[in-house]
Amino acid sequence: MSACTGKTTDSPNPPTPGTSARPSSSAAAGLPFAGAPKVANPLSATVLSGDPCVDALTPEQVRPILGAPLKQSRDDLAAVGPACTWANLDRGSQLNVGYATVAKTGLSGVYQNTKPQSGVWRPIADVQGFPAVAHAGSPGQTPKDLCVVTVGLADEFAVDVAVVLGSAKQGVVDPCGIAADAAGTVTATLKAKAGA
C-alpha cells in the first residue's frame, strides 16, 4: 500500500492495495499460498467485469460513510485492475473500491506482499461468507486515518475497499471497522450480481 496522508485535493489519491506485485511462477502455480485462506465458495470472475463506479456501491450507500457532497472518479490501476474513488472534499474523507483482477493471486498476493509491510494486519473470518483481511500503515505504524480491507472472492481475485477518514473522525472511529462495513456492502452487491 502506498503512503497516504489522508488529505484530499481536487484529485484524490486513495491508498492503493498491495495486490499488484506478481509472485514467482512457482508460487502462482498453487493457490492459495503465503498463508492465505482458501475461498470455499468462490464467485465467478464475471462479477468484477463491470465498472466499480456503477456496480460496487450506489451514491446512497456511500453518503452514510462519507457524507455529501461527493466527488466520484474512476481510478484504474494497470497492475491491479479497475477502481473507483468517492471523496468528500469538504471533510477530507475518501472511499476507494478496487477490483484486484490482474495479478490473479487474490488474497495470496496480499498475504505475500502486503502483510510484511503493514503496521495493521487483522484477518477477518467472514465478510458475507468470504475470507478477508484489514491492513494499513507500515511496520510500527498504526494510522488513525486509513485502512484497506481486502476480500477474497475467489482464490484468483479479490476486492479492495479502502477508507480514508476526514480529520473530524480520526482517532474517534476505527478506519478498519468502517472499511470492513463498506466491504460487506460491496461484497453483498457483488454476490447479488452473481445470483448467489
Side-chain angles (χ1 to χ4, degrees):
M1 186 174 74
S2 68
C4 187
T5 64
K7 297 177 183 175
T8 56
T9 64
D10 287 337
S11 299
N13 184 17
T16 55
T19 57
S20 61
R22 292 182 183 269
S24 66
S25 58
S26 61
L31 290 171
F33 59 85
K38 182 153 188 66
V39 178
N41 297 300
L43 295 180
S44 165
T46 59
V47 299
L48 300 181
S49 63
D51 179 349
C53 288
V54 175
D55 294 343
L57 293 169
T58 65
E60 292 74 25
Q61 291 170 315
V62 176
R63 277 190 204 102
I65 300 167
L66 300 181
L70 292 174
K71 179 181 178 184
Q72 176 182 301
S73 60
R74 184 77 184 256
D75 295 313
D76 297 1
L77 298 170
V80 179
C84 187
T85 298
W86 293 266
N88 182 319
L89 302 179
D90 294 341
R91 294 183 181 180
S93 54
Q94 296 180 28
L95 174 65
N96 175 276
V97 175
Y99 295 168
T101 58
V102 175
K104 309 271 190 254
T105 59
L107 278 177
S108 296
V110 178
Y111 271 70
Q112 181 180 57
N113 302 314
T114 304
K115 183 178 181 180
Q117 302 172 31
S118 295
V120 174
W121 182 263
R122 296 182 205 157
I124 302 170
D126 179 12
V127 174
Q128 294 288 323
F130 297 92
V133 63
H135 50 94
S138 56
Q141 177 206 26
T142 304
K144 295 180 181 177
D145 63 339
L146 68 95
C147 190
V148 179
V149 170
T150 303
V151 182
L153 299 179
D155 290 338
E156 301 81 11
F157 60 90
V159 62
D160 297 299
V161 178
V163 169
V164 177
L165 298 177
S167 58
K169 290 190 177 183
Q170 292 176 21
V172 178
V173 297
D174 175 14
C176 291
I178 302 292
D181 289 345
T185 302
V186 170
T187 305
T189 299
L190 294 172
K191 281 177 66 176
K193 181 179 177 181

